[in-house]
Amino acid sequence: MRRSGWKMTRGPAMQAVSVLAATVVLVGLASSPAGAAPTPSAGAKAAGPSIESPDGQASRDVDNRTGVAAPNTRQRSMASKLGAVHFNALGTPSALFTGKALATGLAADPETAARQYLAANRDLFGLDAKAVANLDLIAVNKIDPGAVVLLRQRFGDLAAGYDGQVAVLVNAGTVVRVTSSLARDTTAPAPPTVAADAAIAVALRDVGLAADQVGPVDVRPVAVPTPAAGPRAAYAITLSSTSGATPTAVTSYVDARDASVLIREDLVDFDSDNPHWAVFPAAASLAGGDTRVTWCLKPAAGCAKAVSDPAVGQAWDTTVGTGTPTFTSIGNSANDVLALGGGTPTSNATTSVARNYTYPFTDQWHAARCNPTTFTSAQRNDADAAITNLFAMHNRMHDFAYNLGFTEATWNLQAVNIGTAGLGGDAEQGRAQQNALGGSRNNANQGTPRDGQQPTTNMFLWQPVAGSAYPPCVDGDYDMTVVGHEYTHAISNRMIAGPDSGISGFQGGSMGESWSDLDALEYLYENGFRAPGNTPYVEGAYVTGDNNRGIRNYDLSKNPLNYSDLGADLVGPEVHADGEIWNATNFRVRAAMMNRYGAGTPALQLSCADGKTSVQSCPGNRRWIQLMYDSFLLQASSAVSMLDMRDNMLAADLVRFGGANQDIIWGAFAESGMGMDASTNGGADTDAVPSFASPYANNATVHLAPLGDSAGAVIRVYVGDYEARAMPVADTDPETATPDTFQIVPNTKFELTAVGAGFGAHKFSTLFLGGRTQDLKLNLPRNLASVASGATISGDGVNLAALGDDTEATDWASLTGVAGKQITVDLPGTLPQTVSQINVSAMLRPAITGDVDPGTQNRFSALRSFSVLACNGAVADCTQDGSYQTVFTSPTDAFPTGGFRPVSPEINLRSFSIPPTPATHLRVRILSSQCTGNPLYAGEQDADPAAATDCATASPAATQVRMSEFQVFTR
């Protein structure tokens, strides 16, 4: 269900662990007490990285509840009056939002108004007055001038542990938006017959762990509503493995009567009087040298910035209550330690009685090229500098988020809470250089338990590894885009669905990744800091060494993705890749807000970031991120879709800014495929239906009109660059539910892809005129290499037909070598055709059970270079190799990739012009794969004797190559 961070999930007792998706051996998670580090399992490698491909990370989430509590006649009647209403499996509406008031004339007090609304709508929610009165108040959070009221069901004496919540946005007696995971059945569950210890044993067996393999176990009696069996008494049991090499952390809901596992949530989401901290505000420099600045509590000579905790007004290293300093990397918002693993104890930064936390920095890991002897050197791999930087960045994210609404009342991370809101006791527990001696590399993760339990973040070293990833030798503790990303997983998981549960579902996990990217980069922008990257919107450029894309497929500001691209990444649905759809969408909203309200001055940006200027007077980017934080509070259900969060943002704007931005927010979502007619079958859906129309625009109406050879053919049109696993906006197939006409916002240039059996793929860009019905004329030439056109394909490797099936969703592979492998295409007919253009794709695909090319495909096995040979059967015998002449040799970087790893935009379909050539047969000869032919992945790139980096000699990908399409045209 949920993966985040650079990966994500979460549940009541432990909300989320996020992982940065380059990947690695992950380590023990958030349940470890402060100062206690997980140790690697027996046999763990003592030195050198141990890294797996991130592409196969699978969630261990399970929901064993069955059935659906269908809406009754009265509910269906009410729903028909409101328009389309989606019901959850428990029999109540999952979300209500029309853009207008749902109810008016209610009490001025938000909680009273929310309860009045629910009681007055018994026919819709199925809750009588007693059930409404029994709802526990969890929170009333301000979205000026309104408030979000979060209520939770009780079933008898037991509070709901999973689902059973409703969030009502109220403004001056008016209900604007409702989200719900309420159950219509509110009866008390039968009492427990299973003891807590027995339930713990069940939970342990369910995840394959023994009692001595986990840290302290958190157990709570709760109720779990089910569609078929009503409310069930259960135990919410949180387990976290103590292994440094095996990342297992779950919350299991075990039925207290039959000992079955109702739900299992995977929690691994895979960043003196005037103390001084030496820090990298954004990131260290790959050029080397100490470029740190000094931050202090009070302005002073040599201090670049004065910093303090906005919750308490004290220094970061202070114990709240006594006001005394800790003299190390411990404070009210964070407790950061060195956690090398390998049997070594954890430790805070070296004590400084003078509170001068400006430890030496020599950039040792980078300068020594990942040599493991740095750990035993006198400098200890710059351990104190790393711990201090991580501590400062955790505090900065705490402070930044506090001013956006992540406070004690919304379950933030603090050892001591001021006032009565929240539980406290949950400052961020940071692990610098986590499990470095155990071999963990190239990642970061965040584990976030429920309010009152300590969250943990693990920051890793980065190092090149053959056939996996090729970052520089750097320490993730110095990259604020990574640290801020991980911290934001705690923010979104705490604020969404209340203090005890958080984000679930594929789309929810994807948005969790995106929110973390967006928040980290916005923090840097508003504070005037610049991380490495070609623009300020590159996530992870320092740790990956890729200034163009960082760890993502796209720079946030150059991202073309939209809602129809769900699941279109090179290995299929994946929360980090699909989170980039939400990145693109929010960047469009942000840009529209900045276009309307301006960027302001650097001084105004900083004043807004520090909470000193009202958001009503701030630039557009600050208004946007405030709505993003507001949208978290409007979500009562853990399972959330992108359309849910779209509506939450629109509803927040109605209250926060009086609806002043409905037009531009709708416009940005429409451009992103989440327009007014978009639909999805819940948050787990990877085949959502896109819409590019806005209720505020004079939309164009477009009709597909194939011409020429393609007249009468089945043609699919996609908005964007992707076809495989994407959803078309229209097609001409009468057998599908997809229409041949669509609406789209006008005067915006869109990239389109037209695909059809026998016609290959054709990419083009256009814009449409508003208020008009117009034909999209598609005169597509025949793909002469298509099996549908009559071509036949033979040669080396497996899945030969995949090259001629007109879709990138399948691929050909050689599993026994690369250079010299070849495929021959016998073109249709007997007469020669003059070919002048070819399309080639190196895209991969998800594993297919039972296929001759099983398993997760390694992105380094993608094609890099090739040649094309031709034979004219009218004058030569094309069964003989000597009859073929080379007519085209691709550039050595026909599919150019970045230094970190190949990504989808670099290996999808490309067109190549070739000299006009009469031919009856064409032959593709493989020259190299990314592994064998890319110099960025060649040779020994570090000084670690235990780690190999040369892809061509040290990776299984070296003997494999994949290509998904070979298309041939005469024009």
Side-chain angles (χ1 to χ4, degrees), residues 799-883:
N799 304 333
L800 286 161
L803 291 176
D805 61 2
D806 302 287
T807 176
E808 292 181 274
T810 58
D811 64 14
W812 163 88
S814 167
L815 308 178
T816 58
V818 176
K821 298 296 179 178
Q822 55 190 29
I823 309 97
T824 300
V825 180
D826 184 351
L827 304 179
T830 58
L831 297 177
Q833 312 246 19
T834 302
V835 298
S836 59
Q837 179 185 316
I838 59 172
N839 291 348
V840 182
S841 174
M843 279 288 279
L844 307 184
R845 57 158 174 79
I848 299 173
T849 302
D851 191 79
V852 291
D853 180 13
T856 299
Q857 299 196 356
N858 185 298
R859 63 181 72 216
F860 291 85
S861 68
L863 177 69
R864 180 167 172 83
S865 63
F866 61 95
S867 61
V868 176
L869 297 84
C871 175
N872 185 346
V875 297
D877 181 359
C878 294
T879 65
Q880 302 299 311
D881 289 344
S883 298

Side-chain angles (χ1 to χ4, degrees), residues 27-53:
V27 293
L29 302 175
S31 64
S32 303
T39 55
S41 60
K45 197 165 122 181
S50 177
I51 303 179
E52 304 172 63
S53 165

Side-chain angles (χ1 to χ4, degrees), residues 78-158:
M78 285 291 292
S80 67
K81 295 176 184 178
L82 288 169
V85 174
H86 293 287
F87 285 83
N88 61 39
L90 298 170
T92 66
S94 59
L96 297 173
F97 180 66
T98 64
K100 301 177 182 178
L102 296 173
T104 59
L106 303 175
D109 174 68
E111 180 189 352
T112 303
R115 292 183 189 273
Q116 287 175 337
Y117 173 77
L118 294 171
N121 286 275
R122 176 178 179 178
D123 286 347
L124 186 59
F125 289 92
L127 305 183
D128 60 22
K130 181 180 179 182
V132 172
N134 285 340
L135 293 170
D136 289 339
L137 176 65
I138 303 303
V140 177
N141 290 305
K142 293 288 289 179
I143 295 181
D144 279 338
V148 183
V149 181
L150 183 65
L151 302 167
R152 180 169 59 198
Q153 287 181 296
R154 296 191 75 84
F155 302 92
D157 294 330
L158 293 174

Side-chain angles (χ1 to χ4, degrees), residues 702-705 729-733 737-742:
V702 182
H703 175 254
L704 300 191
V729 68
D731 70 36
T732 60
D733 187 349
T738 305
D740 63 0
T741 301
F742 61 97

Side-chain angles (χ1 to χ4, degrees), residues 175-196:
V175 173
V176 177
R177 164 85 164 152
V178 179
T179 63
S180 162
S181 61
L182 293 171
R184 195 172 62 222
D185 185 346
T186 60
T187 58
T193 57
V194 174

